[in-house]
Amino acid sequence: MIPVSIQVRQALGKLVLPVLLLLSVGIIIAGQADRRLADTARMYVADALAPLWGLIAHTQTDVSHLVQGVKDARHLAEENAKLQTENAKLRRWYDVAVSLARENDNLKTELHWVPEPTPAFVTGRVVADSGGMYARAVLLVAGTTSGVHVGNVALATNGLAGRVTEVGPHAARVLLITDIASRLPIELESSHATAIMAGDNSPMPRLMYYPQDSRPIEGERVVTSDQAGAFPMGLPIGTVHYLHPGQPVVQPFVQLDKLTMLRVFDFGQSEIEPPDAPGHVPLTRPHRPLALPFKTLLGQGQEG
C-alpha cells in the first residue's frame, strides 16, 4: 500500500464529489447524444450486475427468513410452555368432570330419574331477511313437510335466535329475539331471578320486570325460563350489559345479522299437560235449547 500524506487524502476527499458530478453530467450528455449506445451500455452494465443483485436479494431473503425463524422459535417455546400449563389445568378439571359425571349418574340411578325426551330438530338454510309484518325476522328453507310447526324454537350454533311464527309447506318465518314483537321469559343465571326480555328492533333487547332486590349484574349470563311454557329452561341467550345506568340490555351470543343456518327444535312444550287435581270438577258447557226458525216461532204465537 502506497503511503499517502494527510494533506493528499484531504485533497482527494474534496475532489471525489466534483469528479462524480462531472462524470454523471458526462454520462447524461452522452446518453442524450446517442441513445442507442447509452441503452446498449446500460444493458451491459445491468447484465454484468444482475448476478450481484440476485445474490444480494437472495442473501437478504435468507437473512429475513433466519431472523423470522428465530422469532418464531422463541414464540413457539413460549407458546409450548403456556400450552403445557393449560393442559395440566385442563387435565385436573377433566378428572373433576369425570368424577362429577359418575356421581351424577349414581344419584340419578338411586332416584330413578326419568330423563327428558330428546327433542326432534331439523336444520335449514336462511335464504332472506324477509320480515313480512315483522322488522326482525328471517325466512328458513324448512316447512311442514320437514316437520316444522308454529312455536318451534330456532337455535344457532351458540344460542337462541328466535321462534317460528309462520310456516308453510317448504318455508318458515322465524321471529328473532330482537324484534319489537318479541317477548320471552328469561332467567338470570347467577341470581336465578326471572325477568322479561323485550326486543325493540335494536341489536340488544331490553330487560324488564326484574326484581328490584336482585338487579342484573354486568356480564351475567341470561338463559330462557320455562315459566310460560313456551321455551324449555336453560337455553343460552346472551349476557347482561348496561348501555346506561339503570337500563340493562342483553347482548346476544348469536350474531343475528349474519345468520346462514338455523336448527329448529320441537321441544314438545305444548304436549306437557298437568294432571287433574283431586276433586276437580270439569267445567261443562251449559245446555242451550235449539234455536227455532223465526217463522216457526211466529206460527206458534198465532196458535196460542
Side-chain angles (χ1 to χ4, degrees), residues 35-284:
R35 285 185 173 275
R36 185 174 181 180
L37 179 62
D39 292 339
T40 303
R42 187 184 301 110
M43 289 305 303
Y44 277 126
V45 173
D47 289 340
L49 296 179
L52 179 61
W53 300 132
L55 179 61
I56 294 174
H58 184 69
T59 304
Q60 183 180 4
T61 304
D62 290 343
V63 171
S64 300
H65 289 167
L66 179 61
V67 173
Q68 187 64 33
V70 172
K71 291 181 179 179
D72 291 342
R74 185 175 62 182
H75 178 71
L76 287 176
E78 296 175 355
E79 191 70 20
N80 189 25
K82 182 179 178 181
L83 289 176
Q84 288 181 353
T85 304
E86 292 181 354
N87 191 25
K89 292 180 180 179
L90 290 175
R91 183 64 187 178
R92 290 195 295 269
W93 281 112
Y94 174 77
D95 294 338
V96 173
V98 170
S99 176
L100 290 175
R102 291 174 180 173
E103 183 179 358
N104 192 20
D105 292 338
N106 292 334
L107 291 175
K108 287 181 177 180
T109 302
E110 293 178 2
L111 295 173
H112 302 284
W113 172 262
V114 179
E116 297 181 358
T118 303
F121 72 94
V122 296
T123 303
R125 183 165 53 92
V126 177
V127 294
D129 294 332
S130 173
M133 62 181 295
Y134 303 112
R136 298 289 185 271
V138 294
L139 202 61
L140 200 65
V141 184
T144 54
T145 56
S146 303
V148 179
H149 304 285
V150 174
N152 288 168
V153 178
L155 296 177
T157 55
N158 51 353
L160 178 67
R163 195 178 183 192
V164 177
T165 56
E166 301 175 47
V167 64
H170 304 288
R173 178 163 287 121
V174 177
L175 178 69
L176 300 180
I177 59 176
T178 54
D179 190 86
I180 196 170
S182 174
R183 299 287 190 277
L184 64 149
I186 59 94
E187 180 177 321
L188 303 173
E189 198 170 58
S190 298
S191 60
H192 300 287
T194 57
I196 297 294
M197 188 180 74
D200 55 0
N201 292 341
S202 69
M204 290 182 282
R206 296 176 292 120
L207 282 179
M208 305 168 57
Y209 308 119
Y210 51 85
Q212 295 301 316
D213 58 347
S214 181
R215 293 182 177 275
I217 305 172
E218 177 74 25
E220 187 175 11
R221 279 172 53 93
V222 178
V223 297
T224 57
S225 173
D226 59 352
Q227 282 189 348
F231 292 90
M233 188 173 183
L235 297 180
I237 300 176
T239 56
V240 176
H241 178 61
Y242 279 88
L243 293 176
H244 304 285
Q247 297 182 8
V249 297
V250 178
Q251 189 170 7
F253 291 133
V254 182
Q255 293 184 345
L256 298 174
D257 56 341
K258 297 180 181 179
L259 292 175
T260 56
M261 304 286 289
L262 282 177
R263 291 178 297 169
V264 180
F265 285 81
D266 184 6
F267 289 97
Q269 297 296 110
S270 60
E271 300 176 1
I272 302 176
E273 297 181 358
D276 292 336
H280 174 71
V281 179
L283 296 177
T284 57

